[in-house]
Amino acid sequence: VGTLIYVIGGFDNAGNSVNTMDIYNPQTNSWSAGPSMQTRRDNPGSAVINGLIYVVGGRTRDADGTTVVNTLNSVEVFNPATGTWAGAASMPTGRRTMAVGVINGKLIAMGGESGPGSTAFAQNEQYDPTTNSWTSLAPMPTGRHGMAYGVIDGKVYTAAGGPTAGSAFINVVEIYTP
């Protein structure tokens, strides 16, 4: 956002999910701590809309490998101008390692881990910050998690990823056009 890079959530050295925020300033080559999220989470998705940082989904895990919450559906919004966090409407599908992009000022969350029977989700959902609401969109043809993704010319491109939880991989490229 602006000239700063925000690193939010993840794992600590012991393997615990964290709720921390670190802010990198490339102009001064320095790091500073920002305010923490409400929820510890690793593997969330994130996007910037109108200068606000949206952090969606993820998982909460302890260092001993115990999963406290397998798939979070909560959404937290950080306002860099005020330095404050706020909640937003929860995702219909709790998940982690999903593709997240922004098209026409709306957040798109696609796929993710871990669905029923350790499958990857095919769900494709859109968040509208003006109404604080989610809408279901056409599902991905191939449900998967951990994919490479990007938004180009108003389309979400997804490549590779895994159809099941863990280290399963496929060679698929798909394009979502709203």
Side-chain angles (χ1 to χ4, degrees):
V1 177
T3 61
L4 303 176
I5 298 170
Y6 294 80
V7 178
I8 304 168
F11 289 112
D12 65 14
N13 289 336
N16 294 297
S17 301
V18 297
N19 62 350
T20 57
M21 172 194 292
D22 293 307
I23 305 166
Y24 179 68
N25 183 333
Q27 295 173 335
T28 61
N29 190 30
S30 62
W31 287 91
S32 61
S36 296
M37 292 182 290
Q38 296 282 329
T39 304
R40 296 186 305 132
R41 59 181 82 217
D42 64 76
N43 294 298
S46 64
V48 175
I49 303 172
N50 297 325
L52 302 177
I53 302 171
Y54 291 78
V55 180
V56 301
R59 163 185 67 184
T60 303
R61 192 172 120 168
D62 290 335
D64 65 3
T66 302
T67 300
V68 178
V69 181
N70 193 38
T71 52
L72 292 164
N73 69 342
S74 58
V75 177
E76 297 188 52
V77 185
F78 181 69
N79 184 335
T82 63
T84 57
W85 285 97
S90 294
M91 289 191 299
T93 306
R95 57 188 126 170
R96 62 184 188 263
T97 67
M98 81 268 345
V100 175
V102 176
I103 299 176
N104 298 323
K106 297 175 182 168
L107 184 148
I108 308 288
M110 303 175 74
E113 185 184 22
S114 176
S118 295
T119 60
F121 289 105
Q123 278 84 341
N124 179 13
E125 296 161 342
Q126 174 181 275
Y127 174 76
D128 185 340
T130 60
T131 61
N132 189 34
S133 63
W134 288 86
T135 304
S136 292
L137 304 173
M140 299 177 72
T142 309
R144 53 210 151 100
H145 68 90
M147 66 210 97
Y149 58 91
V151 176
I152 302 170
D153 294 329
K155 300 174 186 175
V156 180
Y157 290 76
T158 59
T164 58
S167 298
F169 304 101
I170 56 175
N171 183 12
V172 172
V173 176
E174 295 170 342
I175 304 167
Y176 170 72
T177 304

